Amino acid sequence: MSMAYSTANWHWKTKHVSGWAKEWFKTELGGASTIDGDDTIKVERVSEVDGDVELGQRKSKLITIYDCKVVVEWSAIGKDETTVKGTCVIPEVSHENTIDGVSDYVYEYTIGTSSGDNKLVNALLARVKALLPPLLEEKFKAFPQAILDVHGKDLTVVPSENDTPGGSGTATPAQVAPSATTTKSSLSNSKSAAGASKSNTINVLNTATVKVSSRFMASAEDLYGLLTDESRIPTWSRAAAQSKPSPGGAFSLFGGGVAGKYVELNPPNKIVQEWQLSRGSWPSSHYGTMTITLEQGSDSTNVEFSLDGVPKGQEEDVERGLEGYYIRGFKSIGLGTVL
């Protein structure tokens, strides 16, 4: 029996589209040109696209998550057949500067060859620096919508003839691809109720531990605040959150997709939580133990998320979820990972 579409669309899903994105940049940017008076500036080709591009679904909303480095080769022809050719590196094309607008694009120019009077060459280069950015940014602006148009249907469940739209649900994270350091170790838990009848037997639940980690250019104190401060959590989770950071205090992330309570807090180095995927594939009474450790170095902080008590068979989904919604969430607000 299929899941009602309104319920299915509340699940935490992600599709990785980095390969498609590289081809999109090459097709859309390559050949783009602009003419201004005597000057013609053209993108000859895209020589490099490096980074991660994902389309996520949270609480029935599609969200683009991406951070790419783009390198283009350009040419310019100006007055008196003056020519200049070179490359331009855009270190960050991301959700942050394209959609949120919280940072500006950076353009790094390198001249390859040129011909003509030096003054005219310098003047033409100045025109390149003035005209190439808006040409590229027009394409960058179209990128998020292109992701939605091409891949959105793969994450949204469309109602069939036998499905009836239901009421509101609770977001349940699942399936996001990993790129940070991941480690898994298996544990087994067997619990049964002695003398219980068949109708109230407690199912045996085998569990595992899933770990993901990454290093960020931020202090442990700042990262600790982002993880626990109710007003700051939505900046990286991009969803409503509740957080009472004290032992026994409740928390809810990703619009209710993850919930639990704090067990131990040792600011700014350690957070221990009872952690559960709400109304998802986890048993309703089952909680895992999330231990978040923050180890600050001289110029960065390593953050490890260790979730103990993951039901067997769901390790990959949870691993991808932790990577995609915690670590990629931090990356999406410009903290920057150290590779």
Side-chain angles (χ1 to χ4, degrees), residues 26-105:
K26 290 179 179 179
T27 300
E28 294 297 322
L29 299 184
S33 63
T34 183
I35 300 174
D36 185 59
D38 296 326
D39 304 321
T40 300
I41 288 84
K42 180 181 180 181
V43 177
E44 295 293 341
R45 60 186 289 263
V46 177
S47 59
E48 180 183 349
V49 179
D50 185 28
D52 299 305
V53 181
E54 302 171 353
L55 178 62
Q57 179 183 283
R58 305 179 192 176
K59 206 172 182 182
S60 289
K61 295 181 180 179
L62 294 174
I63 302 172
T64 56
I65 307 170
Y66 60 95
D67 189 349
C68 297
K69 171 187 175 183
V70 178
V71 181
V72 302
E73 297 178 6
W74 53 266
S75 65
I77 301 175
K79 187 176 180 181
D80 298 331
E81 299 301 315
T82 303
T83 65
V84 183
K85 293 183 178 181
T87 61
C88 179
V89 178
I90 306 94
E92 180 183 0
V93 179
S94 68
H95 188 287
E96 184 182 20
N97 51 24
T98 303
I99 297 177
D100 296 338
V102 298
S103 65
D104 296 327
Y105 292 101

Side-chain angles (χ1 to χ4, degrees), residues 148-165:
L148 295 175
D149 291 343
V150 175
H151 301 285
K153 61 183 181 295
D154 296 332
L155 294 186
T156 302
V157 178
V158 179
S160 66
E161 294 181 357
N162 297 324
D163 285 333
T164 302

Side-chain angles (χ1 to χ4, degrees), residues 135-179:
L135 177 64
L136 296 177
E137 289 173 24
E138 182 180 0
K139 301 295 184 180
F140 296 158
K141 185 183 296 185
F143 181 56
Q145 188 60 49
I147 300 174
L148 295 175
D149 291 343
V150 175
H151 301 285
K153 61 183 181 295
D154 296 332
L155 294 186
T156 302
V157 178
V158 179
S160 66
E161 294 181 357
N162 297 324
D163 285 333
T164 302
S168 61
T170 303
T172 303
Q175 300 189 9
V176 185
S179 65

Side-chain angles (χ1 to χ4, degrees), residues 297-317:
S298 59
D299 60 355
S300 60
T301 300
N302 185 71
V303 182
E304 180 185 82
F305 299 86
S306 176
L307 182 57
D308 182 20
V310 176
K312 278 287 190 178
Q314 298 186 33
E315 300 96 311
E316 295 299 324
D317 284 350

